[in-house]
Amino acid sequence: MLETAKRLLMPSKRSDVPPFIVMDVMAAAARIEAEGRRVVHMEVGQPAAPAPQTARKAAQAALVQGRIGYTESLGIPTLRARIARHYRDSYGLALDPARVAVTTGSSGGFILAFLALFESGERVALANPGYPPYRHILSALGCEPVLIETTAETRWAITGKALIAEHRRKPLAGLVVASPANPTGTMMEADALARLIAVAEAEGIRVISDEIYHGLDYAFAAETAANLSERTVAINSFSKYFCMTGWRIGWMVVPDSLVRTIDRLQGNLAISVPTLAQVAAEAAFDGRDEMETVKHGYEENRRILVEGLPQAGLDKFLPVDGAFYLYADISRFSDDSLDFAKRMLNEAGVAATPGIDFDPVDGRHFLRFCYAGSAAEMHEAVQRIGDWLKR
Ligand SMILES: Cc1ncc(COP(=O)(O)O)c(C=O)c1O
């Protein structure tokens, strides 16, 4: 009887996904600020700037007009067409709007893609370090995330050789790639991405490309997987380049053969994506000038950190190619990135994310800094870290 009552209150095993450790850092930062002390926030991966004016105006106009109803499950047709045009303008790809599905952030796109591509129990390769929700969504859906170690020699990306070695050990059904990547900020050259996709597809491994940080590329231009193979699923979002995290809107480009599947899944899981966000997203494309100014701000922040952090004492970090992350090696100072992050927060007033959030193997040696704030904050962070490490 007691056992039955207990079972009624128990969550399922597959829902047992770990939380973000960065939440602890954020809570600690809030406590410090409540005491009246200053904190430079570099822990959360989101833009400080608002959505483009064009997007906000379009949303306001839609609200004034009144009725906000459901849309088609795959999204408002004019938005899908506008996204397809973006592929022509940005990548020289003639994309049929029918292959575009609008999603609830890229997060919604991952759920749809994993459901559409994989059976439960199938194995999906991910780069380590990497964005934790890939593995947590996969395991909640009953798939098996398989971490493949990346190193400086492979420019922190999965290579065809590493993928095949894992596939020979035990067959893989899928591969998730990300360029620019989170937490590393590193990118794959178009050639390397093309080679990896070709190797994967030759073995029947389906490729999902997370392109959420496209547009925020400084070292070289990011290539979309959609331009390299029509069989890949490319996932993107308005959250980062367009500064629309809270609007919860993204999209995916899928092979023709999957369009109807995604349509049926989304129709059942969510009916449609929030209409107001779709209206705003379509207008966001007209706000690119504003977003380019924001991007130039990130470039300046990147310069300040790349030049300043080595002088402050943090002289080892991964190539700072894109997104707005710098992944610093702190092994000279500590074997415990969580403890280091807590002390840096308490004693220097700079909040960053411990690498263990992104890498269960070697994350204790790394910290992720988000440089999406202001240039003044970057200078302040460099100064504070320098003073602290020299103490
Ligand atoms: C690499 C990566 N992919 C996907 C997401 C999810 O973003 P959203 O659901 O807002 O599009 C994030 C968010 O930080 C991210 O860093």
Side-chain angles (χ1 to χ4, degrees):
M1 190 60 199
L2 207 63
E3 273 309 302
T4 311
K6 226 161 104 189
R7 257 215 330 271
L8 292 173
L9 298 171
M10 289 283 283
S12 68
K13 279 209 189 72
R14 67 175 174 176
S15 66
D16 187 19
V17 294
F20 258 134
I21 293 157
V22 68
M23 296 300 176
D24 293 351
V25 179
M26 285 163 69
R31 279 196 299 275
I32 290 175
E33 283 174 317
E35 288 165 12
R37 285 157 61 199
R38 165 121 177 100
V39 173
V40 182
H41 287 278
M42 300 178 80
E43 76 279 35
V44 187
Q46 71 171 338
Q53 290 242 14
T54 51
R56 285 180 280 152
K57 280 205 182 115
Q60 274 163 353
L63 273 181
V64 169
Q65 204 235 344
R67 186 168 181 274
I68 306 286
Y70 294 132
T71 73
E72 289 174 32
S73 293
L74 289 173
I76 296 174
T78 50
L79 171 58
R80 295 170 70 201
R82 187 62 192 79
I83 291 169
R85 201 175 108 200
H86 164 68
Y87 280 81
R88 191 197 60 201
D89 299 345
S90 299
Y91 307 101
L93 171 67
L95 177 68
D96 181 354
R99 290 180 53 205
V100 176
V102 178
T103 58
T104 312
S106 66
S107 305
F110 289 113
I111 298 169
L112 294 170
F114 295 161
L115 280 170
L117 295 180
F118 308 124
E119 303 298 344
S120 95
E122 284 191 323
R123 290 166 27 96
V124 180
L126 310 168
N128 190 52
Y131 179 60
Y134 303 141
R135 56 179 195 267
H136 299 160
I137 298 171
L138 281 165
S139 55
L141 293 177
C143 298
E144 187 189 334
V146 178
L147 298 186
I148 295 187
E149 283 308 308
T150 61
T151 61
E153 286 73 54
T154 64
R155 228 172 174 284
W156 306 93
I158 294 177
T159 58
K161 201 170 148 202
L163 184 75
I164 294 301
E166 184 57 48
H167 187 54
R168 297 280 178 263
R169 212 174 61 74
K170 198 170 169 197
L172 292 163
L175 161 69
V176 178
V177 290
S179 167
N182 177 11
T184 56
T186 55
M187 289 173 59
M188 292 180 80
E189 304 257 13
D191 281 1
L193 183 60
R195 277 198 304 274
L196 180 61
I197 291 174
V199 167
E201 291 191 339
E203 294 287 330
I205 299 170
R206 311 174 92 165
V207 180
I208 296 168
S209 174
D210 180 358
E211 305 185 348
I212 185 171
Y213 292 103
H214 276 212
L216 303 179
D217 39 9
Y218 319 110
F220 45 87
E223 178 60 290
T224 173
N227 227 352
L228 302 171
S229 161
E230 283 187 5
R231 292 180 291 263
T232 59
V233 171
I235 297 187
N236 208 321
S237 175
F238 289 88
S239 289
K240 308 294 168 150
Y241 177 80
F242 288 106
C243 302
M244 293 177 71
T245 45
W247 295 78
R248 308 309 303 127
I249 178 111
W251 75 85
M252 60 206 289
V253 176
V254 301
D256 279 329
S257 58
L258 284 186
V259 171
R260 185 69 187 126
T261 307
I262 299 292
D263 189 14
R264 282 185 280 127
L265 279 171
Q266 180 135 274
N268 279 281
L269 290 175
I271 300 184
S272 60
V273 169
T275 306
L276 201 56
Q278 292 193 57
V279 169
E282 187 174 338
F285 284 107
D286 298 325
R288 289 193 74 106
D289 288 350
E290 202 183 326
M291 294 300 102
E292 282 298 297
T293 307
V294 173
K295 175 182 175 174
H296 292 141
Y298 301 150
E299 273 178 296
E300 174 61 6
N301 292 350
R302 171 180 178 260
R303 189 193 61 74
I304 295 165
L305 294 186
V306 168
E307 288 174 11
L309 282 180
Q311 286 167 27
L314 290 180
D315 53 359
K316 254 177 99 180
F317 39 80
L318 275 53
V320 197
D321 296 334
F324 33 54
Y325 302 118
L326 181 144
Y327 203 51
D329 183 335
I330 52 148
S331 54
R332 246 183 69 198
F333 303 99
S334 171
D335 259 345
D336 180 347
S337 56
L338 180 58
D339 171 69
F340 189 85
K342 280 184 181 161
R343 283 193 290 116
M344 192 172 81
L345 173 62
N346 257 316
E347 296 161 21
V350 178
T353 309
I356 45 169
D357 245 349
F358 311 98
D359 177 351
V361 182
D362 202 26
R364 65 203 169 93
H365 289 140
F366 290 89
L367 274 193
R368 186 195 74 175
F369 291 89
C370 171
Y371 56 87
S374 68
E377 285 171 320
M378 299 306 118
H379 284 299
E380 189 181 349
V382 166
Q383 185 71 47
R384 282 168 174 260
I385 292 168
D387 292 347
W388 177 59
L389 288 176
K390 278 165 203 144
R391 240 189 256 163

